[in-house]
C-alpha cells in the first residue's frame, strides 16, 4: 500500500512539474509570438545569394552614392481627367516641401521625418501634363529600422504619408478632395508597406481561422466538448515555444524571419501538433479499453506512439532542413524556422498533452466525456493473440474491430479482397492528374500580381505607367569598365523594352533622366549606366527586358554586371529553379533512408515514397488546372513547387508512416495481409481526421490575400487530402496487401513467414 501511495505521489508530482514548465513557456512564448512581426525582414534583395550577378552589381553600385535609398512614389492625376492645373502643381509642391518637417508618430522618438529622408522630395509633372509624380527618397539603411510600435520606418512613413495626402489635399484613391486630385502611394516603399499590411493578418486572423477550423473538426471527431480543448491547448503551447525560440534567434540575427515564414510556421505547428495529438489520443483511448489505470494506459500509449510520431517529426524536420541547401536565404531560413516548429509540436504532444490528460488521476477519463472508454479484457485478449495459433481469437478480434471501427474495417476488407484492381485504378487516376503538371506556370509573376486584393501600391503603379516611364524610378544598373561605356550604351539602346540609357553623373535623385549630358562618375575605373525600362521594374516584362539586356551587354563587355530590382527578380527565379534540382533529390534520399530504418524494409520504404511522389505530381497537376482555368491566376512563383514538394512529400509520408508502423505491428502477430486489414481498420479514422485537420489548417493560409500563400494553401490542402483519402486508404494498403510478406524485404518478416490469408 505504501509503495502504491508513493508511486501515485511521484506520478502526480511529474504531472504538476510538466504542466508548470509549460505554463512558464506559455507566459514567455506568448509575448514572443506577438512580437514576431517586429523581427521580420521582407527585403527580397537580402535573400539573394552572394554570387548572384545582381548582388555583386548592388555592392558596386553602392560605391557610386553616399546613401542607398528606398523610393516612395506619390502619383496624382485629376479626378475628371484632362490636364493638371498650375494650382494643383503648386499645392503638391507645398505638400512635398513640408514632408520632412512632419513630426514622427506619437509614441516613438522625438523629431521629424527629415532624419529619414536621403534627399528633398522632387515634384515632376508628366510630359503629357496629365499627372504629377512626387519622388521621396527614404534612407535605405534606416528604412528597415523599428520605429516604436509603429513598425518599420518605411511602413510608418507610408502610412503617415497617405494620411497627410488625405488631410492636406483631400486626395486619396477614392476621394478627390477640393483640388480634384486622386493620389496613390506606390514604388518600392509603397509595396513594402502594403505587403506588411497583408502579413499583418498572420498574428491574429490566420491563427483564429486555423484554430477555429481545428476545434470544429475535433468536436466532430471526438464528440466530446473537453478533449478538443486539450488538443487545442497543446497546439497553442507548442506555438508559444516555437515563437519564443524563433524570436530569440531572429532577434540575435542567427536566423532571418519574413512574413511568409511566420505564416507557414504558425500553420505547421498547429497542424503537426493536432496530427500527433490525434495519434496519441487514439492509442490512449484504445489502451483505456484494456486497462483500468489511466497512468498505465498513457504509458502504453506513449510507448506505442513514440516511434511513429518521432519518425514522422524526424522525417518532416529532415525534409525541411534540406532547404539549407538552397541558394536563396529566404528558403534557407525557412528550413530551421519550420523545423523548430515541428520540434516544438513534438515536445508538446509527448509532454504537455499526456500530463494534461492525466489531470484527475484515476478519474482522468473525464476528458472523453460523454463517450468515456471502459476496460474490455476480452477485446484486449482478442487483439493481442496471434491468429495462426488462436483461430477463436482471430474471430473475436474481427468482431471487436468491426464493432469499434465498422466503416474502416469494411473498407479494409474490401481493399484486401480487391487489392490488384484497387492499386491499378488508383495509380492510373493519379497518373492522369499528374499529366497536367507540365502546364503549371511557375516562372514568376509581377509584384503587382502578388496581391489578391486591391491595394494602393498596385493601383498607383498602373497610373504611374500610364504617364511616366515606369522603369525610370528603379532603373537597371550596369557596372562596367570605363572604356566600354559607349559600346554598352549603344547595345543597351537596341534592346527591346528599354526606354532610356543614361550614364550616372552623380546628379541628385530627381525626375527620370536627371543629370543627362554631364560627365559620368568613375569609381576605380568603372562607370555606372542607368537603364530605364518601359515597364515597371517589378513586372515580368521588365525582367524579360533585363534578361535580354544582360545578353546584349555581356556580348560587348564580358566583365560588366547588370543589377537593379528587375535583375534581382531574375536571379531569384533562377536560384529557385536551381533549388528544385538540388533540394528535391536530397529530400527524397533523406526520407527513404528514414523509412528504411523505421520499417526495417527497403521494399516498403520505396513503395511509400513512390506513392507519395505520385500523389505530389497529381496535386500539382490538379493545381495547374485550377490555377490556369478556374481561378485565372497569372502564374506562380518558382518557389511554390519547391515548398509544396517539401511539405507534401514530408507531411504526406506521415500518414503512411502512421499506417505502416501499425501494419508492421499487426503483421508480427497475424501476417502481412491480415496485418494490412487490421492496420487500416484501426488507424483509418484517426489518420483521416489528422489529414482533414492538416488540410484545414493549411487552407487557412488563404485568408492572407497574397498569391503565393493562396497557391501554397490549395496545393498542400488538396495534396494532404489526396494522401489521406486515396494514397493511404487505397493505394498503399492495396500494394502492400498484394506484395504480402515481400513488402518487408530484406527484413526477417519475409523469411519463412506464412500468410494467414493467402491471396487468390
Amino acid at each position: 500500500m505504501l509503495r502504491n501511495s508513493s508511486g501515485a505521489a511521484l506520478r502526480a508530482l511529474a504531472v504538476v512539474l510538466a504542466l508548470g514548465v509549460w505554463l512558464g513557456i506559455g507566459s514567455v512564448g506568448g509575448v514572443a509570438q506577438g512580437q514576431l512581426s517586429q523581427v521580420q525582414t521582407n527585403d527580397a534583395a537580402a535573400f539573394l545569394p552572394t554570387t548572384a550577378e545582381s548582388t555583386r552589381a548592388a555592392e558596386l553600385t553602392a560605391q557610386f552614392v553616399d546613401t542607398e535609398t528606398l523610393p516612395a512614389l506619390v502619383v496624382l492625376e485629376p479626378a475628371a481627367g484632362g490636364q493638371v492645373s498650375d494650382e494643383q502643381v503648386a499645392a503638391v509642391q507645398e505638400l512635398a516641401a513640408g514632408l520632412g518637417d512632419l513630426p514622427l508618430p506619437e509614441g516613438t522618438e522625438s523629431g521629424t521625418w527629415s532624419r529619414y529622408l536621403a534627399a528633398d522630395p522632387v515634384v515632376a509633372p508628366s510630359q503629357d501634363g496629365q499627372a504629377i509624380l512626387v519622388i521621396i527618397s527614404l534612407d535605405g539603411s534606416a528604412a528597415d529600422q523599428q520605429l516604436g510600435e509603429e513598425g518599420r520606418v518605411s511602413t510608418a512613413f507610408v502610412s503617415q504619408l497617405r494620411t497627410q495626402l488625405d488631410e492636406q489635399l483631400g486626395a486619396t484613391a477614392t476621394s478627390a478632395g477640393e483640388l480634384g486630385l486622386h493620389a496613390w502611394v506606390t514604388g518600392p516603399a509603397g509595396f513594402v508597406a502594403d505587403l506588411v499590411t497583408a502579413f499583418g493578418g498572420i498574428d491574429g486572423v490566420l491563427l483564429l481561422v486555423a484554430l477555429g477550423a481545428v476545434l470544429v473538426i475535433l468536436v466532430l471527431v471526438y464528440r466530446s466538448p473537453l478533449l478538443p480543448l486539450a488538443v487545442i491547448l497543446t497546439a497553442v503551447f507548442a506555438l508559444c515555444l516555437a515563437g519564443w525560440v524563433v524570436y530569440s534567434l531572429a532577434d540575435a540575427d542567427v536566423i532571418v524571419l519574413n512574413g511568409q515564414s511566420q505564416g507557414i510556421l504558425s500553420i505547421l505547428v498547429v497542424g503537426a501538433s493536432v496530427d500527433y495529438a490525434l495519434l496519441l489520443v487514439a492509442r490512449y483511448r484504445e489502451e483505456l479499453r484494456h486497462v483500468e489505470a489511466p497512468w498505465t494506459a498513457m504509458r502504453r500509449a506513449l510507448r506505442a506512439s513514440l516511434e511513429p510520431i518521432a519518425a514522422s517529426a524526424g522525417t518532416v524536420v529532415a525534409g525541411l532542413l534540406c532547404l539549407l541547401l538552397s541558394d536563396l536565404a529566404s528558403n534557407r531560413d525557412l528550413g530551421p524556422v519550420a523545423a523548430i516548429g515541428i520540434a516544438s509540436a513534438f515536445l508538446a504532444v509527448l509532454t504537455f498533452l499526456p500530463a494534461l490528460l492525466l489531470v484527475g488521476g484515476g478519474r482522468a477519463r473525464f476528458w472523453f466525456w460523454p463517450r468515456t472508454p471502459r476496460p474490455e479484457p476480452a477485446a484486449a485478449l482478442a487483439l493481442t493473440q496471434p491468429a495462426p495459433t488462436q483461430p477463436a481469437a482471430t474471430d473475436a478480434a474481427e468482431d471487436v474491430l468491426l464493432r469499434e471501427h465498422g466503416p474502416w474495417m469494411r473498407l479494409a476488407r474490401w481493399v484486401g479482397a480487391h487489392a490488384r484492381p484497387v492499386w491499378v485504378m488508383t495509380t492510373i487516376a493519379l497518373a492522369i492528374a499528374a499529366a497536367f503538371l507540365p502546364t503549371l506556370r511557375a516562372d514568376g509573376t509581377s509584384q503587382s500580381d502578388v496581391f489578391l486584393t486591391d491595394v494602393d501600391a498596385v493601383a498607383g503603379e498602373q497610373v504611374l505607367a500610364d504617364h511616366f516611364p515606369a522603369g525610370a524610378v528603379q532603373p537597371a544598373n550596369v557596372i562596367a569598365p570605363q572604356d566600354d561605356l559607349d559600346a554598352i550604351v549603344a547595345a543597351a539602346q537596341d534592346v527591346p523594352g528599354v526606354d532610356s540609357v543614361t550614364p550616372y553623373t552623380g546628379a541628385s535623385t530627381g525626375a527620370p533622366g536627371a543629370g543627362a549630358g554631364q560627365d559620368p562618375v568613375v569609381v576605380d575605373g568603372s562607370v555606372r549606366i542607368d537603364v530605364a525600362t518601359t515597364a515597371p521594374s517589378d513586372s515580368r516584362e521588365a525582367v524579360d527586358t533585363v534578361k535580354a539586356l544582360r545578353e546584349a551587354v555581356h556580348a560587348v563587355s564580358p566583365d560588366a554586371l547588370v543589377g537593379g530590382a528587375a535583375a534581382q527578380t531574375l536571379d531569384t527565379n533562377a536560384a529557385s529553379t536551381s533549388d528544385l534540382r538540388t533540394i528535391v533529390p536530397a529530400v527524397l534520399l533523406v526520407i527513404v533512408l528514414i523509412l528504411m530504418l523505421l520499417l526495417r524494409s527497403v521494399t516498403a520504404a520505396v513503395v511509400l515514397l513512390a506513392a507519395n511522389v505520385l500523389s505530389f505530381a497529381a496535386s500539382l497537376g490538379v493545381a495547374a488546372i485550377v490555377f490556369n482555368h478556374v481561378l485565372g491566376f497569372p502564374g506562380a512563383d518558382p518557389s511554390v513547387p519547391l515548398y509544396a514538394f517539401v511539405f507534401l512529400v514530408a507531411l504526406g509520408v506521415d500518414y503512411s508512416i502512421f499506417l505502416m508502423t501499425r501494419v508492421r505491428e499487426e503483421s508480427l502477430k497475424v501476417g502481412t495481409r491480415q496485418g494490412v486489414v487490421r492496420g487500416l481498420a484501426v488507424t483509418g479514422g484517426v489518420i483521416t481526421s489528422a489529414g482533414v485537420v492538416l488540410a484545414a489548417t493549411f487552407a487557412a493560409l488563404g485568408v492572407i490575400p497574397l498569391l503565393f500563400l493562396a497557391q501554397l494553401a490549395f496545393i498542400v490542402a488538396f495534396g494532404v487530402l489526396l494522401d489521406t483519402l486515396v494514397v493511404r486508404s487505397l493505394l498503399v494498403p492495396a500494394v502492400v496487401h498484394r506484395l504480402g510478406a515481400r513488402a518487408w524485404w530484406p527484413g526477417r518478416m519475409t523469411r519463412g513467414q506464412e500468410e494467414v490469408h493467402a491471396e487468390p
Side-chain angles (χ1 to χ4, degrees):
M1 179 66 71
L2 183 61
R3 181 179 299 175
N4 291 339
S5 299
S6 176
L10 288 175
R11 291 193 289 270
L13 179 61
V15 168
V16 171
L17 285 176
L19 294 178
V21 169
W22 277 102
L23 286 174
I25 291 173
S27 63
V28 177
V31 175
Q33 178 69 27
Q35 296 176 338
L36 283 178
S37 59
Q38 298 180 11
V39 292
Q40 282 185 16
T41 299
N42 292 302
D43 180 10
F47 300 136
L48 282 168
T50 56
T51 56
E53 182 173 344
S54 58
T55 304
R56 290 181 287 143
E59 294 172 353
L60 296 176
T61 300
Q63 298 177 11
F64 287 81
V65 295
D66 295 329
T67 305
E68 288 290 323
T69 62
L70 179 71
L73 308 178
V74 181
V75 57
L76 306 97
E77 66 175 3
Q83 300 294 305
V84 175
S85 68
D86 293 340
E87 179 186 11
Q88 290 171 331
V89 173
V92 172
Q93 288 175 334
E94 182 180 353
L95 180 144
L99 289 177
D101 297 327
L102 292 175
L104 295 172
E106 293 184 9
T108 64
E109 57 193 79
S110 60
T112 64
W113 280 108
S114 59
R115 71 173 60 182
Y116 294 113
L117 299 183
D120 293 333
V122 176
V123 178
S126 62
Q127 289 187 355
D128 61 14
Q130 297 178 1
I132 306 172
L133 174 64
V134 182
I135 303 175
I136 306 165
S137 300
L138 288 171
D139 185 340
S141 61
D144 207 35
Q145 294 177 4
Q146 193 71 24
L147 191 63
E149 296 185 359
E150 294 294 320
R152 308 286 182 178
V153 167
S154 59
T155 305
F157 177 76
V158 170
S159 176
Q160 190 162 340
L161 176 59
R162 287 169 174 164
T163 301
Q164 199 69 18
L165 286 169
D166 187 39
E167 291 179 353
Q168 291 196 14
L169 294 182
T172 65
T174 57
S175 174
E178 295 181 0
L179 288 174
L181 290 172
H182 283 317
W184 297 263
V185 180
T186 184
F191 273 101
V192 169
D194 288 333
L195 193 64
V196 169
T197 300
F199 279 129
I202 287 177
D203 289 336
V205 177
L206 178 60
L207 281 179
L208 287 177
V209 171
L211 292 174
V214 169
L215 182 61
V216 170
I217 294 170
L218 289 178
V219 169
L220 295 175
V221 169
Y222 288 134
R223 302 179 191 176
S224 165
L226 299 177
L227 200 53
L229 295 179
V231 175
I232 290 293
L233 277 175
T234 302
V236 170
F237 276 97
L239 196 57
C240 288
L241 175 59
W244 181 20
V245 175
V246 170
Y247 177 84
S248 301
L249 294 177
D251 191 46
D253 295 326
V254 176
I255 60 175
V256 176
L257 177 72
N258 57 30
Q260 176 179 289
S261 296
Q262 184 181 341
I264 292 173
L265 171 68
S266 302
I267 291 302
L268 267 182
V269 172
V270 172
S273 298
V274 175
D275 271 10
Y276 303 154
L278 281 166
L279 187 67
L280 176 62
V281 171
R283 195 60 185 248
Y284 178 48
R285 184 202 294 267
E286 187 178 330
E287 295 298 336
L288 284 174
R289 294 193 178 98
H290 301 165
V291 297
E292 181 65 39
W295 182 272
T296 303
M298 181 58 75
R299 186 178 67 249
R300 291 184 178 183
L302 283 170
R303 186 185 303 122
S305 303
L306 177 60
E307 186 178 50
I309 293 178
S312 171
T315 301
V316 179
V317 167
L320 290 169
L321 291 181
C322 287
L323 289 173
L324 292 172
L325 300 174
S326 172
D327 285 335
L328 290 175
S330 55
N331 291 346
R332 288 199 305 273
D333 291 314
L334 174 62
V337 167
I340 290 169
I342 295 296
S344 300
F346 174 77
L347 291 174
V349 169
L350 292 183
T351 56
F352 174 77
L353 182 59
L356 189 62
L357 292 180
L358 289 173
V359 170
R363 298 183 179 181
R365 281 181 168 84
F366 76 88
W367 285 105
F368 293 89
W369 182 86
R371 304 181 66 190
T372 307
R374 297 297 179 187
E376 299 179 21
L381 176 64
L383 288 172
T384 55
Q385 291 297 320
T389 59
Q390 299 288 341
T394 300
D395 295 338
E398 296 287 324
D399 292 339
V400 171
L401 291 174
L402 191 59
R403 183 174 70 251
E404 296 181 359
H405 312 281
W408 286 102
M409 185 61 183
R410 286 188 284 272
L411 174 64
R413 285 175 171 174
W414 180 81
V415 171
H418 306 85
R420 177 181 292 174
V422 166
W423 80 262
V424 170
M425 294 304 296
T426 52
T427 300
I428 291 175
L430 292 172
I432 291 174
F436 290 92
L437 171 59
T439 67
L440 180 66
R441 301 193 302 269
D443 54 354
T445 61
S446 300
Q447 187 168 350
S448 58
D449 293 327
V450 168
F451 298 92
L452 296 179
T453 56
D454 295 332
V455 297
D456 205 40
V458 173
E461 184 183 76
Q462 182 58 53
V463 177
L464 182 67
D466 291 340
H467 301 288
F468 297 90
V473 178
Q474 278 191 302
N477 309 127
V478 181
I479 308 298
Q482 181 181 6
D483 294 340
D484 296 337
L485 174 60
D486 294 337
I488 290 176
V489 170
Q493 288 174 337
D494 292 336
V495 175
V498 169
D499 181 76
S500 64
V501 183
T502 308
Y504 179 71
T505 61
S508 300
T509 302
Q518 302 178 20
D519 293 334
V521 173
V522 180
V523 176
D524 295 333
S526 296
V527 293
R528 165 182 154 185
I529 304 104
D530 293 340
V531 181
T533 57
T534 55
S537 58
D538 52 16
S539 66
R540 295 182 63 180
E541 292 79 7
V543 173
D544 293 338
T545 299
V546 168
K547 184 177 181 180
L549 175 66
R550 276 185 175 173
E551 295 176 356
V553 167
H554 291 163
V556 298
S557 179
D559 296 330
L561 298 174
V562 179
Q568 290 170 358
T569 302
L570 178 62
D571 290 338
T572 299
N573 293 343
S576 296
T577 302
S578 174
D579 285 347
L580 275 173
R581 295 191 295 268
T582 302
I583 295 174
V584 167
V587 172
L588 293 177
L589 178 61
V590 167
I591 290 178
V592 77
L593 290 176
I594 292 176
L595 289 174
M596 288 178 184
L597 293 173
L598 173 67
L599 300 174
R600 289 85 161 173
S601 166
V602 173
T603 303
V606 172
V607 167
L608 295 188
L609 191 62
N612 281 276
V613 170
L614 179 59
S615 173
F616 165 74
S619 299
L620 285 191
V622 172
I625 297 173
V626 173
F627 295 166
N628 297 344
H629 305 294
V630 178
L631 300 178
F633 285 156
D637 190 272
S639 61
V640 169
L642 175 63
Y643 283 17
F645 176 84
V646 172
F647 292 137
L648 270 185
V649 173
L651 293 172
V653 167
D654 277 4
Y655 304 118
S656 296
I657 287 176
F658 294 162
L659 169 67
M660 289 302 293
T661 51
R662 189 56 183 263
V663 168
R664 191 176 190 280
E665 179 184 334
E666 297 295 336
S667 297
L668 289 169
K669 296 181 290 188
V670 297
T672 300
R673 291 196 170 101
Q674 190 61 21
V676 169
V677 173
R678 282 195 181 187
L680 180 56
V682 172
T683 63
V686 63
I687 296 178
T688 299
S689 301
V692 172
V693 165
L694 188 62
T697 52
F698 262 96
L701 280 173
V703 304
I704 306 300
L706 296 174
L707 180 65
F708 173 89
L709 292 180
Q711 291 175 325
L712 188 64
F714 175 85
I715 294 173
V716 177
F718 178 82
V720 165
L721 291 176
L722 191 64
D723 276 325
T724 305
L725 302 176
V726 177
V727 174
R728 187 267 317 169
S729 299
L730 300 174
L731 180 57
V732 169
V735 171
V736 175
H737 193 283
R738 181 69 181 170
L739 289 172
R742 292 170 294 176
W744 309 110
W745 181 86
R748 289 178 296 175
M749 291 175 62
T750 63
R751 294 198 289 268
Q753 179 183 353
E754 180 181 347
E755 293 292 350
V756 180
H757 299 290
E759 187 174 12

